[in-house]
Amino acid sequence: MSILGRMLFLLCLFLLASMSIVGGFAYFNYRENCRLGELGVQRATLGVANYAQLFLHTAENSVRQLARSPEIINAVGSLPKNMTRGTPLVYMEPLPREAAALRTLLDTTLYGSHRIQQAGFLDIYGGFMASPALRVVLVNDPRTRPWFTRAMDAPAGSVVRSSYLSAPGNEPVCTFSQAIYKDEKPVGVVYMEVSLRILSQSLAVLSPGSSGKIYVLDNTGMALIAPDSYDASARHVPVAVPREFLEAGDGRYYTTVGGVPTFWAVHTDKLGFRYIVTLDAEELLHDSNMLLLRSCMGAGLVLLIILVVGYAIAGSAVMPLARLETAANAIADGRPDAAFPEPSEFAGEIRALRNAIVRMLVSLRSAAAAAQRTTQRATANERYALAALRDAVQRQRDSQNKLEAMRLAARDLSAAMEGLAAAKNEEERAEYLRKGLKASELFMLLTGNRMRKNAGGASAPVKTDPKS
């Protein structure tokens, strides 16, 4: 791999490691914020439930305690009766002793707790007493109100909860009522109204985050408390509770509600009240998202700096080194005459490196020329030696052929002499003599001598030069 390639590879590894660290940190931070969000809404739900139970159960216990007071039973039949809608509610002055005692009891109960908005008693004969005292009758017959009818139908000793808009101020209230029995027969209903607007304003401080919302539902699914519904300057409007809240069981959740990612938790108390606290996940995860965004921007800035520095390094060092590498590879591939970069293309240590490579190249070229001359001389000597070897081989082959011919001539001469000695007549003797002279002449020719005839016709050997 080239220097530039290794540099790019290391750069990619650095960026990958950086992004992995940033991504891992952002992910674990995101998961930790999600866990904190789930725990936060769960704890907030339990806090809301505990506070609301204290708020509402105090009123319920006050109703039970009020129902056991003897002033309630004694006041049956002695309370003012005027149930025409829109007419002033006229109290007899002075009130009967029993009614005055009940009035004192109701005033004491009301002012003893800021959670209670109204307390009163309505008997079956239409006698009515409330604290604070009503000045005008707003309904034709209070005995048609839900808190009265439900309490009369409930078992003895049961406290009935009713949620509705109060008649005096059209304000959402939760009314606790209990039927009063005398001789095992219901004779009236005592009740207390708890302002849900006050409870909602008190619970607002318990909601997590600026986007936190609190719902309190009764056992029928009706919203007793809902966000932005019980503001002091706003009229009450019915609240549509999201279906996810109505169908979910107790627990903590992280889902999309109404198209918004939401952390929420549900808790149900023993009386059937359901407490739901929600938190906008985008608000909680805003810091995580901003951290991730800043991390990505920081990584991008680092990448830009690295690219600028890498470009500068590549222009001043990597690219010249890459050209030197190409030239050096050409030399290594057996092309010492390849073009080499000019000194003006380099500077500093790279120019010194280039000059050192050039000197090395000059030495290599000189060594290559000397080696070539040595090779040529060795080749010439090899050709001369090879030619001498071929001549020696040929001379040896010729000598072997000559010896073989001499051996054959000597054999013919010996055979002619044996035949001459054994000849029986002149004709055979002349024939063997002729063969012997021929073999002798051939033998003398092979040995470098030749036969010459004398004056008497006999042949005599003549010394001859073998080179002639």
Side-chain angles (χ1 to χ4, degrees):
M1 183 183 293
S2 64
I3 298 176
L4 182 60
R6 288 194 294 270
M7 182 177 176
L8 293 176
F9 178 72
L10 293 176
L11 176 61
C12 292
L13 285 182
F14 174 77
L15 292 178
L16 180 62
S18 301
M19 295 305 295
S20 299
I21 294 173
V22 172
F25 178 76
Y27 172 75
F28 286 112
N29 186 65
Y30 169 82
R31 289 301 306 163
E32 182 65 16
N33 285 343
C34 289
R35 188 183 68 85
L36 292 177
E38 293 177 357
L39 292 177
V41 294
Q42 185 178 33
R43 292 175 180 175
T45 302
L46 294 177
V48 167
N50 293 333
Y51 185 85
Q53 287 172 14
L54 178 62
F55 191 98
L56 298 175
H57 292 181
T58 299
E60 183 176 3
N61 293 333
S62 297
V63 169
R64 295 182 186 276
Q65 184 177 359
L66 184 62
R68 291 193 295 266
S69 301
E71 289 86 350
I72 298 295
I73 296 295
N74 296 335
V76 174
S78 62
L79 301 177
K81 304 179 183 64
N82 189 348
M83 298 304 162
T84 303
R85 182 185 177 113
T87 59
L89 186 58
V90 180
Y91 292 95
M92 295 178 292
E93 296 292 349
L95 289 173
R97 181 174 58 84
E98 294 82 1
L102 177 59
R103 187 176 192 179
T104 301
L105 175 63
L106 293 178
D107 290 342
T108 303
T109 302
L110 178 66
Y111 294 107
S113 175
H114 69 280
R115 300 177 177 87
I116 303 173
Q117 183 178 4
Q118 188 181 83
F121 174 68
L122 176 64
D123 62 19
I124 59 176
Y125 307 108
F128 182 73
M129 179 67 68
S131 179
L134 296 178
R135 298 304 177 184
V136 178
V137 177
L138 300 177
V139 293
N140 290 328
D141 190 348
R143 288 173 293 183
T144 61
R145 300 291 286 173
W147 55 266
F148 185 87
T149 56
R150 292 178 183 176
M152 292 294 288
D153 294 337
S158 300
V159 177
V160 179
R161 299 183 308 278
S162 303
S163 302
Y164 54 89
L165 299 180
S166 64
N170 196 32
E171 183 177 353
V173 295
C174 182
T175 300
F176 296 87
S177 58
Q178 180 178 342
I180 304 300
Y181 284 79
K182 184 177 182 180
D183 298 332
E184 299 182 357
K185 293 182 179 181
V187 294
V189 174
V190 62
Y191 75 96
M192 288 186 181
E193 287 184 354
V194 177
S195 173
L196 296 180
R197 189 190 304 275
I198 296 176
L199 178 58
S200 178
Q201 294 172 353
S202 301
L203 292 178
V205 299
L206 300 178
S207 61
S210 59
S211 63
K213 298 180 181 179
I214 296 176
Y215 295 84
V216 178
L217 312 179
D218 63 11
N219 54 0
T220 64
M222 177 180 177
L224 304 182
I225 296 176
D228 304 327
S229 298
Y230 304 140
D231 185 73
S233 60
R235 290 180 56 83
H236 173 71
V237 293
V239 177
V241 181
R243 179 176 54 84
E244 292 86 354
F245 298 163
L246 297 176
E247 296 177 354
D250 290 3
R252 59 190 186 189
Y253 304 90
Y254 175 35
T255 59
T256 300
V257 180
V260 179
T262 306
F263 294 105
W264 53 287
V266 181
H267 174 72
T268 304
D269 64 7
K270 296 179 180 180
L271 298 179
F273 285 102
R274 303 186 70 197
Y275 304 92
I276 303 172
V277 177
T278 70
L279 174 62
D280 188 351
E282 293 181 352
E283 177 187 2
L284 178 63
L285 300 178
H286 177 266
D287 293 339
S288 297
N289 295 333
M290 290 302 297
L291 175 62
L292 180 60
L293 178 61
R294 288 192 294 268
S295 300
C296 293
M297 293 177 62
L301 180 60
V302 172
L303 173 61
L304 179 61
I305 295 174
I306 290 176
L307 289 178
V308 173
V309 175
Y311 179 78
I313 295 176
S316 62
V318 177
M319 296 305 295
L321 288 176
R323 291 195 295 270
L324 285 180
E325 181 184 12
T326 302
N329 287 332
I331 296 173
D333 292 337
R335 293 182 286 124
D337 296 331
F340 211 77
E342 296 297 328
S344 59
E345 300 181 15
F346 308 99
E349 292 82 359
I350 300 180
R351 175 180 291 183
L353 177 61
R354 182 261 178 198
N355 295 335
I357 295 177
V358 169
R359 289 194 299 270
M360 179 184 69
L361 179 59
V362 171
S363 299
L364 288 176
R365 288 174 178 173
S366 300
Q372 185 176 7
R373 290 192 296 270
T374 302
T375 302
Q376 290 175 352
R377 287 196 298 269
T379 302
N381 293 334
E382 181 181 0
R383 287 198 298 269
Y384 177 77
L386 183 61
L389 179 61
R390 284 199 296 269
D391 292 342
V393 170
Q394 185 62 36
R395 286 195 299 272
Q396 183 181 5
R397 187 179 296 114
D398 293 342
S399 297
Q400 289 178 353
N401 293 336
K402 189 175 183 179
L403 290 175
E404 181 66 20
M406 291 173 64
R407 186 182 65 80
L408 293 176
R411 186 187 64 180
D412 293 341
L413 180 59
S414 176
M417 292 177 66
E418 290 178 358
L420 182 61
K424 296 179 178 180
N425 51 40
E426 291 295 329
E427 293 180 357
E428 290 180 356
R429 186 178 294 109
E431 180 65 21
Y432 285 115
L433 180 61
R434 184 182 61 83
K435 290 181 179 180
L437 290 173
K438 184 177 180 180
S440 175
E441 184 179 359
L442 178 61
F443 183 82
M444 294 299 289
L445 180 64
L446 291 175
T447 57
N449 298 318
R450 60 181 180 179
M451 299 292 294
R452 63 178 180 86
K453 295 182 179 180
N454 53 20
S459 297
V462 179
K463 190 72 174 179
T464 60
D465 187 2
K467 296 181 179 181
S468 60

